[in-house]
Amino acid sequence: MGGAVDRAYLPVKNALEQVGDLMILTGKTLISAVRPPFPYGTEFVQQFYFLLKLCWFPLIVSMVTLSYGAPGLQAGNFLEIFGALDRLGGFFVLAVIRNFAPFVTAVILAGVGGTAICADLGARKIREELDALQVLGVDPIKNLVVPRFLALMVVTALFNGFAILAGLFGGVLATLTFGAPLGPFFSTLLSNATTTDLWGSLLETAIFGAIIAIVCCYKGMTASGGAEGVGRAVNQAVVISMLGVFAFNYVFIQTLLATHPEISVVK
Amino acid sequence: MSWLAVPRDILASFGDIMKFFWAVIKEVAEGSAVRFFGETLRQAGILIIGSALVIWGMAFILGLTCGVNGAYFARSIGSPQIGGSFSAICDLREILPLAFGYMMSAKVGTGLVAEIGAMRISDEIDALEVMGISSLAFLCSTRLLGAWIVLPFMYIAAVGAGFVGSYLAVVQQVSEVSSGGYFLIFWAYQNPPDLLFSLIKGMSMATVIVLVGLYYGYTASGGPVGVGAATAKSMVLNTVAVHFLSMIGTMVFWGANPRAPIGG
């Protein structure tokens, strides 16, 4: 009896404790990001460059292939039945700017950038470098977590812009596959795109970056010993950050669509 | 010569990965996994207990997202009752294979790297070879066969979870179409071959993800830190492969034929 209760109770307690720890880490990160002194400038630039170098190629390849296949061919075929292939540009506002560009940016930044950050911090944790930093009086949150948090937020939001461009390139390829002219594609694209879509997309991805950074830093800094330790931490970090990002995406896109009816008017 | 070094390294490691894939698939085809059928079943069980809920959860969330987008899109063109057509095509053909691929690579792929990589660096794989058991057969082919046994069913259940999500979003949440009207359009826009094509898409992603996970785990080196780095590296290849296979699947199955009940 006691065993059964424990089996049900311990995982729940463990999960709730981790959620609480994540919240505490978020609060501490935000406070130490704005409270002087600001020693994290160099580390911020290094992390920014590191993420840029690591993620640009997977991002571009993934975004072009995905938007050529999913909205390009699938919706293009559909519109061609109606003889309305020029509307593909208008559909790309919904598909790429509002949905797939944030999706793919989040998956690449969580899968490629977040895992690398988690593996890096996990390595420092089990080599006891983090403890050594604390002994030296260096705050690991201010010097390690804050620059990664800011870098991921900025890089994710900026990469979203490149993802949109790559996605539109996929749409151009799809239009050319159907042998249609490009003029109508861009004309319906530009007449349907709104500023709200763009800032919504950027705000969304910046928050994605914050979620990924907090989860990956937390999992890296709490990696426990053993041969499997760091690998297990990376595994959990990427699962939690993807679930968190997509759950947040649903809430965000729902709120955006419901509060801005003007963006879902076909022009 | 230095500018040739990067592409040459990429080609060389791609060749290594393909050789490894071929070796594991050959082991399965020669029946090595069947010799260790108990282990195969154990791996299949681990896959169900460890990963099923997370994968279905991801499919459900993306089904909700797809449904909300479809409902607002259908409203924007002035006919909210066709929300079902958008969610049928978006769910079954594109988003659910992608959700499955994302969560497989996050949960199962990196999990395999962490597990097998830990065995490699604590010399357990060498110990297995010393005892006269082929590690490729016992560790890798059993996991691949276990995945092939379980994942088709898990995938179809994930499709169900995504459909429930879309139904909730379109009918219960935005609620501009009745339940019967939604399902009429929803089922009209898909048929069993579509489900089969979607399953083939998802299973080809799953096969590549399991093999990539096995490769990076099997060749891990450099202590626990090396295992962590290999885990992170496996995700790079997996995410690109998932998107690439998604495009290939769309081109092959729906590229020349929209399979929509419109026109003659």
Side-chain angles (χ1 to χ4, degrees):
Chain A
M1 184 62 201
V5 171
D6 272 357
R7 267 213 305 277
Y9 169 68
L10 283 178
V12 175
K13 176 166 165 273
N14 195 10
L16 286 178
E17 272 177 5
Q18 291 202 12
V19 171
D21 279 350
L22 283 172
M23 293 298 144
I24 292 171
L25 182 63
T26 314
K28 276 186 183 165
T29 309
L30 288 175
I31 290 172
S32 49
V34 293
R35 180 183 287 171
F38 305 109
Y40 47 75
T42 331
E43 180 85 2
F44 171 78
V45 174
Q46 274 173 7
Q47 288 299 319
F48 191 94
Y49 182 59
F50 171 72
L51 288 169
L52 216 61
K53 215 169 51 177
L54 206 60
C55 298
W56 72 272
F57 185 68
L59 182 90
I60 301 291
V61 172
S62 302
M63 195 61 217
V64 171
T65 51
L66 181 68
S67 78
Y68 175 70
L73 288 183
Q74 202 76 262
N77 263 325
F78 205 74
L79 289 168
E80 215 188 5
I81 305 176
F82 299 105
L85 198 62
D86 59 314
R87 283 281 153 197
L88 190 62
F91 184 71
F92 260 64
V93 176
L94 183 160
V96 167
I97 301 181
R98 216 175 289 159
N99 285 298
F100 280 125
F103 266 29
V104 173
T105 315
V107 169
I108 296 293
L109 264 292
V112 180
T115 50
I117 283 178
C118 183
D120 177 33
L121 285 181
R124 295 185 190 199
K125 165 75 182 169
I126 62 160
R127 288 190 198 123
E128 300 180 354
E129 289 173 26
L130 294 185
D131 299 334
L133 280 182
Q134 262 170 338
V135 170
L136 289 172
V138 177
D139 179 10
I141 290 183
K142 197 170 200 86
N143 290 278
L144 296 178
V145 179
V146 172
R148 283 167 176 74
F149 178 79
L150 295 177
L152 255 173
M153 270 177 85
V154 176
V155 166
T156 315
L158 288 182
F159 265 3
N160 184 45
F162 288 103
I164 290 173
L165 285 183
L168 294 182
F169 179 66
V172 167
L173 285 184
T175 314
L176 293 177
T177 311
F178 288 108
L182 286 177
F185 176 84
F186 282 112
S187 141
T188 52
L189 172 78
L190 293 177
S191 67
N192 279 287
T194 58
T195 329
T196 317
D197 274 319
L198 198 59
W199 73 247
S201 187
L202 288 177
L203 178 66
E204 188 183 14
T205 38
I207 299 173
F208 284 176
I211 296 173
I212 295 166
I214 291 292
V215 172
C216 291
C217 288
Y218 171 72
K219 280 291 170 189
M221 287 171 72
T222 53
S224 54
E228 237 181 324
V230 188
R232 187 60 63 198
V234 173
N235 176 3
Q236 290 172 353
V238 66
V239 170
I240 296 174
S241 48
M242 277 200 189
L243 276 181
V245 158
F246 281 103
F248 174 76
N249 172 63
Y250 166 63
V251 177
F252 186 90
I253 202 82
Q254 163 59 40
T255 314
L256 185 75
L257 287 171
T259 52
H260 294 83
E262 76 276 4
I263 63 172
S264 48
V265 173
V266 177
K267 295 185 199 77
Chain B
M1 279 309 279
S2 66
W3 60 274
L4 268 177
V6 174
R8 204 175 50 206
D9 284 356
I10 292 176
L11 271 182
S13 57
F14 187 74
D16 273 352
I17 292 174
M18 284 300 140
K19 251 187 337 204
F20 180 82
F21 281 16
W22 177 242
V24 175
I25 291 177
K26 212 171 76 183
E27 288 284 342
V28 176
E30 283 170 356
S32 308
V34 182
R35 265 197 298 137
F36 301 109
F37 199 63
E39 175 70 8
T40 305
L41 286 184
R42 197 176 75 87
Q43 292 302 331
I46 290 174
L47 213 54
I48 297 173
I49 293 172
S51 310
L53 271 181
V54 190
I55 289 175
W56 295 339
M58 182 79 163
F60 179 74
I61 293 174
L62 279 171
L64 281 173
T65 313
C66 209
V68 166
N69 276 299
Y72 278 88
F73 176 70
R75 179 202 275 176
S76 78
I77 58 171
S79 62
Q81 63 273 21
I82 64 136
S85 71
F86 187 96
S87 54
I89 287 179
C90 165
D91 269 356
L92 187 62
R93 298 186 183 181
E94 299 298 337
I95 289 295
L96 290 176
L98 278 178
F100 187 72
Y102 290 161
M103 222 49 212
M104 274 293 293
S105 47
K107 182 82 178 80
V108 178
T110 57
L112 283 175
V113 183
E115 189 190 355
I116 303 213
M119 291 182 190
R120 167 61 78 190
I121 60 158
S122 47
D123 296 329
E124 290 168 32
I125 293 182
D126 294 335
L128 213 57
E129 297 281 355
V130 169
M131 289 192 294
I133 300 172
S134 157
S135 59
L136 266 185
F138 185 73
L139 293 175
C140 300
S141 71
T142 54
R143 280 172 172 78
L144 185 62
L145 187 65
W148 278 346
I149 291 174
V150 168
L151 289 178
F153 301 100
M154 211 185 291
Y155 181 77
I156 290 178
V159 169
F163 282 0
V164 171
S166 289
Y167 170 80
L168 288 179
V170 178
V171 179
Q172 306 292 339
Q173 186 193 341
V174 183
S175 76
E176 290 184 340
V177 54
S178 71
S179 176
Y182 173 78
F183 279 125
L184 178 72
I185 298 286
F186 185 72
W187 295 120
Y189 275 79
Q190 55 182 300
N191 46 23
D194 281 336
L195 180 62
L196 180 68
F197 295 157
S198 170
L199 177 67
I200 293 172
K201 223 173 158 181
M203 287 311 296
S204 56
M205 286 176 188
T207 307
V208 170
I209 289 164
V210 170
L211 284 171
V212 167
L214 291 171
Y215 171 79
Y216 277 101
Y218 200 77
T219 56
S221 60
V225 175
V227 177
T231 313
K233 256 199 298 192
S234 78
M235 274 303 285
V236 182
L237 190 53
N238 273 336
T239 44
V240 174
V242 162
H243 291 121
F244 193 71
L245 286 173
S246 167
M247 180 190 72
I248 299 282
T250 303
M251 280 165 76
V252 169
F253 296 130
W254 295 286
N257 180 6
R259 301 176 59 79
I262 301 170

Short mmCIF file of all heavy atoms in Angstrom, two decimals, chain B residues 14-51:
data_model
loop_
_atom_site.label_atom_id
_atom_site.label_comp_id
_atom_site.label_asym_id
_atom_site.label_seq_id
_atom_site.Cartn_x
_atom_site.Cartn_y
_atom_site.Cartn_z
N PHE B 14 29.46 11.45 -42.92
CA PHE B 14 28.23 10.95 -43.53
C PHE B 14 28.42 9.51 -43.99
O PHE B 14 27.56 8.65 -43.78
CB PHE B 14 27.84 11.85 -44.71
CG PHE B 14 26.50 11.53 -45.30
CD1 PHE B 14 25.34 11.88 -44.63
CD2 PHE B 14 26.40 10.88 -46.51
CE1 PHE B 14 24.11 11.58 -45.17
CE2 PHE B 14 25.16 10.58 -47.05
CZ PHE B 14 24.02 10.93 -46.38
N GLY B 15 29.58 9.23 -44.59
CA GLY B 15 29.87 7.86 -45.01
C GLY B 15 29.91 6.91 -43.83
O GLY B 15 29.36 5.81 -43.88
N ASP B 16 30.56 7.36 -42.72
CA ASP B 16 30.61 6.53 -41.51
C ASP B 16 29.21 6.19 -41.02
O ASP B 16 28.90 5.05 -40.68
CB ASP B 16 31.34 7.29 -40.40
CG ASP B 16 32.83 7.07 -40.48
OD1 ASP B 16 33.25 6.23 -41.30
OD2 ASP B 16 33.57 7.74 -39.73
N ILE B 17 28.35 7.26 -41.00
CA ILE B 17 26.99 7.06 -40.48
C ILE B 17 26.25 6.06 -41.36
O ILE B 17 25.59 5.14 -40.88
CB ILE B 17 26.26 8.41 -40.42
CG1 ILE B 17 26.90 9.29 -39.36
CG2 ILE B 17 24.79 8.23 -40.14
CD1 ILE B 17 26.36 10.69 -39.31
N MET B 18 26.40 6.20 -42.70
CA MET B 18 25.70 5.28 -43.61
C MET B 18 26.19 3.85 -43.43
O MET B 18 25.40 2.91 -43.45
CB MET B 18 25.92 5.73 -45.06
CG MET B 18 25.10 6.93 -45.45
SD MET B 18 23.37 6.58 -45.27
CE MET B 18 22.77 8.10 -44.61
N LYS B 19 27.51 3.69 -43.22
CA LYS B 19 28.05 2.34 -43.02
C LYS B 19 27.46 1.72 -41.76
O LYS B 19 27.09 0.54 -41.74
CB LYS B 19 29.58 2.41 -42.90
CG LYS B 19 30.26 1.84 -44.10
CD LYS B 19 31.76 1.69 -44.07
CE LYS B 19 32.63 2.45 -43.21
NZ LYS B 19 34.01 2.59 -43.64
N PHE B 20 27.36 2.56 -40.71
CA PHE B 20 26.78 2.07 -39.46
C PHE B 20 25.31 1.69 -39.65
O PHE B 20 24.87 0.62 -39.20
CB PHE B 20 26.92 3.14 -38.38
CG PHE B 20 26.36 2.73 -37.05
CD1 PHE B 20 27.11 1.93 -36.19
CD2 PHE B 20 25.10 3.12 -36.67
CE1 PHE B 20 26.59 1.55 -34.98
CE2 PHE B 20 24.58 2.74 -35.45
CZ PHE B 20 25.32 1.96 -34.60
N PHE B 21 24.54 2.57 -40.35
CA PHE B 21 23.12 2.28 -40.62
C PHE B 21 23.00 0.92 -41.30
O PHE B 21 22.19 0.08 -40.92
CB PHE B 21 22.52 3.33 -41.56
CG PHE B 21 22.15 4.63 -40.90
CD1 PHE B 21 22.64 4.96 -39.65
CD2 PHE B 21 21.32 5.53 -41.55
CE1 PHE B 21 22.30 6.16 -39.05
CE2 PHE B 21 20.97 6.72 -40.96
CZ PHE B 21 21.48 7.04 -39.72
N TRP B 22 23.85 0.72 -42.33
CA TRP B 22 23.77 -0.51 -43.12
C TRP B 22 24.09 -1.71 -42.24
O TRP B 22 23.41 -2.74 -42.31
CB TRP B 22 24.72 -0.41 -44.30
CG TRP B 22 24.76 -1.65 -45.11
CD1 TRP B 22 25.83 -2.45 -45.34
CD2 TRP B 22 23.66 -2.25 -45.80
NE1 TRP B 22 25.48 -3.51 -46.12
CE2 TRP B 22 24.14 -3.43 -46.42
CE3 TRP B 22 22.32 -1.93 -45.95
CZ2 TRP B 22 23.33 -4.26 -47.17
CZ3 TRP B 22 21.51 -2.77 -46.70
CH2 TRP B 22 22.01 -3.91 -47.30
N ALA B 23 25.11 -1.57 -41.37
CA ALA B 23 25.49 -2.70 -40.50
C ALA B 23 24.33 -3.08 -39.59
O ALA B 23 24.02 -4.27 -39.42
CB ALA B 23 26.73 -2.34 -39.68
N VAL B 24 23.66 -2.06 -38.98
CA VAL B 24 22.57 -2.37 -38.05
C VAL B 24 21.40 -3.00 -38.80
O VAL B 24 20.82 -4.00 -38.36
CB VAL B 24 22.12 -1.10 -37.32
CG1 VAL B 24 20.91 -1.39 -36.45
CG2 VAL B 24 23.23 -0.56 -36.47
N ILE B 25 21.06 -2.42 -39.98
CA ILE B 25 19.91 -2.97 -40.72
C ILE B 25 20.21 -4.39 -41.18
O ILE B 25 19.34 -5.26 -41.16
CB ILE B 25 19.58 -2.04 -41.91
CG1 ILE B 25 19.02 -0.72 -41.37
CG2 ILE B 25 18.55 -2.66 -42.83
CD1 ILE B 25 18.71 0.30 -42.41
N LYS B 26 21.48 -4.66 -41.53
CA LYS B 26 21.84 -6.01 -41.95
C LYS B 26 21.68 -6.99 -40.79
O LYS B 26 21.18 -8.10 -40.97
CB LYS B 26 23.29 -6.03 -42.47
CG LYS B 26 23.51 -7.04 -43.57
CD LYS B 26 24.88 -6.87 -44.19
CE LYS B 26 25.94 -7.41 -43.27
NZ LYS B 26 27.30 -7.21 -43.78
N GLU B 27 22.09 -6.54 -39.57
CA GLU B 27 21.91 -7.40 -38.40
C GLU B 27 20.44 -7.76 -38.20
O GLU B 27 20.10 -8.90 -37.92
CB GLU B 27 22.43 -6.69 -37.14
CG GLU B 27 23.93 -6.56 -37.04
CD GLU B 27 24.58 -7.87 -36.66
OE1 GLU B 27 23.88 -8.75 -36.16
OE2 GLU B 27 25.81 -8.00 -36.88
N VAL B 28 19.55 -6.75 -38.36
CA VAL B 28 18.12 -7.03 -38.17
C VAL B 28 17.65 -7.99 -39.26
O VAL B 28 16.93 -8.96 -38.99
CB VAL B 28 17.30 -5.72 -38.23
CG1 VAL B 28 15.82 -6.02 -38.13
CG2 VAL B 28 17.71 -4.80 -37.10
N ALA B 29 18.09 -7.74 -40.52
CA ALA B 29 17.61 -8.57 -41.63
C ALA B 29 18.11 -10.00 -41.49
O ALA B 29 17.42 -10.94 -41.88
CB ALA B 29 18.08 -7.97 -42.95
N GLU B 30 19.31 -10.18 -40.92
CA GLU B 30 19.84 -11.54 -40.76
C GLU B 30 19.24 -12.25 -39.57
O GLU B 30 19.61 -13.39 -39.26
CB GLU B 30 21.37 -11.49 -40.62
CG GLU B 30 22.08 -11.25 -41.94
CD GLU B 30 23.54 -10.96 -41.75
OE1 GLU B 30 23.97 -10.86 -40.58
OE2 GLU B 30 24.25 -10.81 -42.75
N GLY B 31 18.36 -11.57 -38.84
CA GLY B 31 17.66 -12.24 -37.74
C GLY B 31 18.39 -12.22 -36.43
O GLY B 31 18.04 -12.97 -35.51
N SER B 32 19.41 -11.36 -36.28
CA SER B 32 20.12 -11.32 -35.00
C SER B 32 19.20 -10.83 -33.90
O SER B 32 19.29 -11.28 -32.76
CB SER B 32 21.32 -10.38 -35.09
OG SER B 32 22.09 -10.72 -36.19
N ALA B 33 18.31 -9.89 -34.25
CA ALA B 33 17.43 -9.34 -33.23
C ALA B 33 16.45 -10.40 -32.75
O ALA B 33 16.03 -10.38 -31.60
CB ALA B 33 16.69 -8.12 -33.78
N VAL B 34 16.10 -11.33 -33.65
CA VAL B 34 15.14 -12.36 -33.26
C VAL B 34 15.79 -13.34 -32.29
O VAL B 34 15.13 -13.89 -31.41
CB VAL B 34 14.59 -13.06 -34.52
CG1 VAL B 34 13.56 -14.11 -34.15
CG2 VAL B 34 13.97 -12.04 -35.45
N ARG B 35 17.12 -13.53 -32.44
CA ARG B 35 17.82 -14.40 -31.48
C ARG B 35 17.73 -13.83 -30.07
O ARG B 35 17.67 -14.55 -29.10
CB ARG B 35 19.29 -14.55 -31.89
CG ARG B 35 19.54 -15.79 -32.71
CD ARG B 35 21.01 -16.10 -32.73
NE ARG B 35 21.78 -15.02 -33.34
CZ ARG B 35 22.92 -14.57 -32.85
NH1 ARG B 35 23.43 -15.10 -31.76
NH2 ARG B 35 23.57 -13.60 -33.46
N PHE B 36 17.74 -12.50 -29.97
CA PHE B 36 17.60 -11.85 -28.65
C PHE B 36 16.20 -11.30 -28.51
O PHE B 36 16.01 -10.12 -28.24
CB PHE B 36 18.61 -10.72 -28.49
CG PHE B 36 20.04 -11.16 -28.63
CD1 PHE B 36 20.78 -10.79 -29.74
CD2 PHE B 36 20.64 -11.92 -27.66
CE1 PHE B 36 22.08 -11.18 -29.87
CE2 PHE B 36 21.94 -12.32 -27.77
CZ PHE B 36 22.67 -11.95 -28.89
N PHE B 37 15.18 -12.14 -28.77
CA PHE B 37 13.84 -11.58 -28.86
C PHE B 37 13.36 -11.05 -27.52
O PHE B 37 12.60 -10.07 -27.47
CB PHE B 37 12.86 -12.63 -29.40
CG PHE B 37 11.62 -12.00 -29.94
CD1 PHE B 37 11.68 -11.14 -31.04
CD2 PHE B 37 10.38 -12.23 -29.36
CE1 PHE B 37 10.54 -10.54 -31.53
CE2 PHE B 37 9.24 -11.63 -29.85
CZ PHE B 37 9.32 -10.79 -30.94
N GLY B 38 13.82 -11.67 -26.42
CA GLY B 38 13.45 -11.17 -25.09
C GLY B 38 13.90 -9.73 -24.92
O GLY B 38 13.14 -8.86 -24.48
N GLU B 39 15.15 -9.46 -25.31
CA GLU B 39 15.69 -8.11 -25.19
C GLU B 39 14.92 -7.15 -26.10
O GLU B 39 14.64 -6.01 -25.72
CB GLU B 39 17.18 -8.13 -25.56
CG GLU B 39 17.87 -6.79 -25.61
CD GLU B 39 18.05 -6.15 -24.25
OE1 GLU B 39 17.78 -6.83 -23.25
OE2 GLU B 39 18.42 -4.97 -24.21
N THR B 40 14.55 -7.64 -27.31
CA THR B 40 13.77 -6.79 -28.22
C THR B 40 12.46 -6.36 -27.57
O THR B 40 12.09 -5.19 -27.59
CB THR B 40 13.47 -7.55 -29.52
OG1 THR B 40 14.70 -8.01 -30.06
CG2 THR B 40 12.76 -6.68 -30.52
N LEU B 41 11.77 -7.34 -26.95
CA LEU B 41 10.50 -7.02 -26.31
C LEU B 41 10.71 -6.07 -25.15
O LEU B 41 9.90 -5.17 -24.91
CB LEU B 41 9.82 -8.30 -25.84
CG LEU B 41 9.19 -9.15 -26.93
CD1 LEU B 41 8.47 -10.33 -26.32
CD2 LEU B 41 8.21 -8.33 -27.75
N ARG B 42 11.83 -6.25 -24.41
CA ARG B 42 12.08 -5.36 -23.28
C ARG B 42 12.28 -3.92 -23.78
O ARG B 42 11.75 -2.98 -23.20
CB ARG B 42 13.34 -5.83 -22.52
CG ARG B 42 13.45 -5.25 -21.13
CD ARG B 42 14.65 -5.83 -20.42
NE ARG B 42 15.89 -5.28 -20.90
CZ ARG B 42 16.44 -4.17 -20.42
NH1 ARG B 42 15.85 -3.52 -19.46
NH2 ARG B 42 17.58 -3.71 -20.91
N GLN B 43 13.03 -3.78 -24.89
CA GLN B 43 13.24 -2.42 -25.43
C GLN B 43 11.91 -1.83 -25.91
O GLN B 43 11.66 -0.63 -25.73
CB GLN B 43 14.23 -2.46 -26.59
CG GLN B 43 15.64 -2.80 -26.17
CD GLN B 43 16.18 -1.84 -25.15
OE1 GLN B 43 15.79 -0.68 -25.10
NE2 GLN B 43 17.05 -2.33 -24.28
N ALA B 44 11.06 -2.67 -26.52
CA ALA B 44 9.75 -2.18 -26.97
C ALA B 44 8.95 -1.69 -25.78
O ALA B 44 8.31 -0.63 -25.83
CB ALA B 44 9.01 -3.29 -27.71
N GLY B 45 9.00 -2.45 -24.67
CA GLY B 45 8.27 -2.05 -23.47
C GLY B 45 8.78 -0.74 -22.92
O GLY B 45 8.00 0.14 -22.53
N ILE B 46 10.13 -0.58 -22.89
CA ILE B 46 10.72 0.67 -22.40
C ILE B 46 10.24 1.84 -23.23
O ILE B 46 9.90 2.91 -22.71
CB ILE B 46 12.26 0.58 -22.42
CG1 ILE B 46 12.74 -0.40 -21.37
CG2 ILE B 46 12.89 1.93 -22.20
CD1 ILE B 46 14.22 -0.66 -21.42
N LEU B 47 10.14 1.61 -24.56
CA LEU B 47 9.69 2.68 -25.45
C LEU B 47 8.26 3.08 -25.12
O LEU B 47 7.94 4.28 -25.07
CB LEU B 47 9.77 2.16 -26.89
CG LEU B 47 10.10 3.14 -28.00
CD1 LEU B 47 11.36 3.86 -27.66
CD2 LEU B 47 10.26 2.38 -29.30
N ILE B 48 7.39 2.09 -24.86
CA ILE B 48 5.99 2.41 -24.56
C ILE B 48 5.90 3.18 -23.25
O ILE B 48 5.28 4.25 -23.18
CB ILE B 48 5.14 1.13 -24.49
CG1 ILE B 48 5.13 0.42 -25.83
CG2 ILE B 48 3.72 1.45 -24.05
CD1 ILE B 48 4.45 -0.91 -25.78
N ILE B 49 6.54 2.63 -22.20
CA ILE B 49 6.38 3.24 -20.87
C ILE B 49 7.05 4.61 -20.84
O ILE B 49 6.51 5.57 -20.29
CB ILE B 49 6.97 2.31 -19.80
CG1 ILE B 49 6.13 1.06 -19.72
CG2 ILE B 49 7.01 3.01 -18.46
CD1 ILE B 49 6.73 0.00 -18.85
N GLY B 50 8.22 4.72 -21.46
CA GLY B 50 8.99 5.96 -21.31
C GLY B 50 8.55 7.08 -22.23
O GLY B 50 8.63 8.25 -21.85
N SER B 51 8.11 6.76 -23.44
CA SER B 51 7.96 7.83 -24.44
C SER B 51 6.54 8.06 -24.94
O SER B 51 6.27 9.10 -25.52
CB SER B 51 8.85 7.55 -25.64
OG SER B 51 10.14 7.24 -25.21
#
